[in-house]
Amino acid sequence: MPQLFLNQKSCETTADPERVNRAMTELAKAIIAVAKEDRQGTELVMRESLKALHLARGHHVSRWAGTPSAKGGLWAFLLKMQTKWPHQKVFPEGETFSDVAHTHEGEPAPELGFAHLMEGVGISLLLENRWDAERLTLVQEQLVDDEDIGTVITEVELRHVASREHVEAHRPWIREQAEASLRGDLSAIRTGAELWEQCAELFPHLLFLPRVETQLRELKQYWVHPVRKRLAEMDRAVLLWDAATEPDGPQWGSLVTPEHSTRKRDYCDFSDFDGETRSFDTHLRFTPDEGRVHFRFVKATRKVHVAHIGRKLGI
């Protein structure tokens, strides 16, 4: 289900008109190559309408649309695609991504950042060598609600396409996503609401306290993938758990630690399914910074009771 986010930075150069038209023809053919693998799921996401697009300084898209290549069907195909603009059209309801920013080679790259956050693909006009890559590295700066941290800076990698050659590198992934969507697999889940609706079926060894439903339904888009990954790891860990050889409990697949004593006392008590208040201080991280899953494992029933999925408790 590839969402293709047009990298506006690649449309801000000055180049020979013929070169611009060739680059746009190649990009259009690359988009078609993606759509052939997943026509129903492919979306072209742009800052503005396709008809208003400038491909380079002083070069409106209409100049390309009048070329023989474009008239041969490329322009009509792009117009028929499910083009979404502005970008907010594909964001989860209520999400603005105002707390996170991305740069590429020191320059702001919001469209590429949106592609990363939405688990999509960045697409660019190949008018500069830096866009001749099937993957791009971005610097992500995210504000967090923790006065001891403030801003978390990390490098993230993004799938990228500027030519049909780049599409070939991603073809297996595109096919996998399309097939997963048809099957309704975990990898096709893209929103917290979808994740919650399938929790019982996907994670039979995990039980979620009532408060967690709201947390999952309102989960930030860019947290959906790391959360579903951690939940899948936890469920599989319980499935594989051998009480005789692992008396302390399952091997969770990621770092699991208890909360500090003061924080445990202040934040980690929740009413369990039987109405008893218990400590859920054991937690794992689904992001390097503030993303937390608080839970307790009940050996007698081989079930994990999950009490919290979201930001670090108390912030």
Side-chain angles (χ1 to χ4, degrees):
M1 299 176 64
Q3 290 180 324
L4 309 178
F5 287 76
L6 178 64
N7 170 24
Q8 200 68 33
K9 183 63 66 175
S10 72
C11 301
E12 296 177 356
T13 61
T14 300
D16 176 82
E18 289 189 12
R19 185 162 172 250
V20 175
N21 288 337
R22 285 197 303 269
M24 184 60 198
T25 295
E26 179 60 29
L27 181 59
K29 290 180 178 179
I31 293 171
I32 290 175
V34 173
K36 283 182 177 179
E37 298 296 336
D38 185 7
R39 179 62 185 92
Q40 185 174 356
T42 302
E43 293 182 329
L44 181 58
V45 187
M46 305 172 67
R47 186 173 69 185
E48 57 191 351
S49 166
L50 178 62
K51 293 182 178 180
L53 180 66
H54 281 78
L55 305 179
R57 293 190 181 98
H59 194 113
H60 189 267
V61 69
S62 59
R63 297 180 66 180
W64 170 77
T67 64
S69 296
K71 287 182 177 180
L74 297 181
W75 176 240
F77 181 88
L78 294 183
L79 289 175
K80 288 180 180 179
M81 285 191 66
Q82 297 176 345
T83 304
K84 299 293 180 67
W85 58 276
H87 304 103
Q88 288 77 3
K89 288 285 187 180
V90 299
F91 292 173
E93 184 176 356
E95 183 60 82
T96 63
F97 296 127
S98 60
D99 58 348
V100 60
H102 296 82
T103 57
H104 176 264
E105 295 186 354
E107 296 182 330
E111 297 86 10
L112 296 178
F114 296 150
H116 166 70
L117 295 170
M118 295 293 292
E119 299 183 53
V121 178
I123 61 173
S124 303
L125 279 174
L126 191 48
L127 296 174
E128 296 180 83
N129 290 336
R130 58 175 169 165
W131 308 130
D132 190 7
E134 62 196 40
R135 293 182 182 271
L136 298 177
T137 299
L138 310 178
V139 175
Q140 175 176 288
E141 296 187 35
Q142 182 178 358
L143 296 175
V144 297
D145 295 333
D146 188 330
E147 60 183 13
D148 294 328
I149 300 177
T151 302
V152 176
I153 300 177
T154 55
E155 286 192 349
V156 298
E157 192 175 73
L158 170 69
R159 292 181 179 87
H160 178 260
V161 164
S163 68
R164 285 168 288 179
E165 181 180 352
H166 299 155
V167 175
E168 288 303 314
H170 303 304
R171 196 177 296 276
W173 173 77
I174 297 168
R175 289 175 176 172
E176 178 184 343
Q177 294 295 303
E179 292 170 0
S181 179
L182 292 174
R183 295 192 306 263
D185 282 5
L186 182 62
S187 59
I189 294 174
R190 296 169 66 173
T191 69
E194 291 175 349
L195 182 60
W196 171 254
E197 295 296 339
Q198 299 188 48
C199 269
E201 178 182 355
L202 295 171
F203 315 120
H205 300 95
L206 310 185
L207 299 176
F208 301 88
L209 297 190
R211 68 191 303 272
V212 178
E213 176 179 356
T214 300
Q215 292 178 328
L216 282 181
R217 288 188 179 278
E218 297 178 354
L219 199 64
K220 290 178 177 292
Q221 176 74 30
Y222 51 90
W223 277 357
V224 173
H225 174 69
V227 167
R228 76 191 184 203
K229 179 181 178 181
R230 286 290 180 259
L231 295 181
E233 289 174 349
M234 294 174 71
D235 190 79
R236 179 168 175 77
V238 178
L239 176 66
L240 300 177
W241 178 54
D242 184 343
T245 59
E246 299 172 329
D248 293 332
Q251 300 298 309
W252 299 113
S254 63
L255 179 63
V256 174
T257 57
E259 194 61 88
H260 296 300
S261 57
T262 301
R263 294 183 54 79
K264 175 180 178 179
R265 180 193 65 216
D266 293 342
Y267 302 117
C268 298
D269 287 346
F270 297 95
S271 178
D272 211 339
F273 291 105
D274 58 3
E276 292 292 325
T277 298
R278 295 189 174 89
S279 177
F280 287 76
D281 70 302
T282 303
H283 66 278
L284 54 79
R285 292 168 172 79
F286 59 82
T287 67
D289 38 74
E290 80 269 31
R292 301 287 193 274
V293 177
H294 281 257
F295 66 95
R296 57 184 295 266
F297 177 59
V298 183
K299 294 182 180 179
T301 60
R302 296 180 68 97
K303 297 289 185 182
V304 175
H305 293 194
V306 180
H308 175 79
I309 298 178
R311 294 186 183 277
K312 180 179 178 180
L313 289 168
I315 63 173

